[in-house]
Amino acid sequence: AAGVIQSPRHLIKEKRETATLKCYPIPRHDTVYWYQQGPGQDPQFLISFYEKMQSDKGSIPDRFSAQQFSDYHSELNMSSLELGDSALYFCASSLERSGANVLTFGAGSRLTVL
Amino acid sequence: AQSVTQLDSQVPVFEEAPVELRCNYSSSVSVYLFWYVQYPNQGLQLLLKYLSGSTLVESINGFEAEFNKSQTSFHLRKPSVHISDTAEYFCAVSNTGKLIFGQGTTLQVKP
């Protein structure tokens, strides 16, 4: 079965640079979620999209932005990178914006800021 | 707002011993409850979920969890663990789609 695809899997950037992470949800899934997991921490919700519109917003810094495109893939753009942005970024997708639907997570994109 | 508390940050246990990973949640509305497992350097995989119906839910690899509304708990149990169960386990709650995770419990199974 198709899973959630994230790219790149690993990314190394310098401080103040920009990074873009991509997420391809499971086919027919209409909701995408982004999470940030710092070292030794639990995943923190950043933002979600339902049918290409932002549906919920969590602890996402103003330096970050995201969008969902017509083909339902999503991109997380991070600018003016800081050392503290080093983390594992997960994308998850689900069908319909409901707690009864299970989120399927991708393998994550590991961002290292030097 | 919802929140999740996992009472143990680390649980060391010997192989073939039983284990319980504790999870308590706080919410003013009805919620759905989940356990996710994260193996080293991997993503989050759904272990089991409680949506409605029977309060005891089971996974295919021998884990089970029981939803206790009066105690607002969703503890995870396994009667006999294997080395391969060594991983980080996250309890999570949801009622609006997004998941709110607990702090995680590291299960370390020793031979």
Side-chain angles (χ1 to χ4, degrees), chain A residues 15 20 24 27 36 55 58 77 80 83 93-94 100 103-105 114:
Chain A
K15 281 195 306 183
T20 297
Y24 297 86
Q36 177 192 58
S55 56
N77 299 292
S80 302
L83 295 178
S93 73
S94 71
L103 272 63
T104 301
F105 284 82
L114 302 177

Side-chain angles (χ1 to χ4, degrees), chain A residues 45-49 53-58 97, chain B residues 96 98:
Chain A
F45 171 70
L46 293 178
I47 195 168
S48 63
F49 293 87
M53 298 289 289
Q54 181 181 310
S55 56
D56 202 350
K57 193 172 181 180
R97 189 165 55 95
Chain B
T96 60
K98 72 182 180 192

Side-chain angles (χ1 to χ4, degrees), chain A residues 62-102:
Chain A
D62 291 340
R63 299 177 290 108
F64 292 10
S65 64
Q67 57 181 323
Q68 187 178 30
F69 294 86
S70 58
D71 64 351
Y72 292 95
H73 94 272
S74 179
E75 295 184 4
L76 177 66
N77 299 292
M78 300 174 284
S79 62
S80 302
L81 288 170
E82 302 173 357
L83 295 178
D85 296 328
S86 295
L88 195 54
Y89 290 82
F90 287 109
C91 171
S93 73
S94 71
L95 181 62
E96 296 184 19
R97 189 165 55 95
S98 164
N101 290 296
V102 176

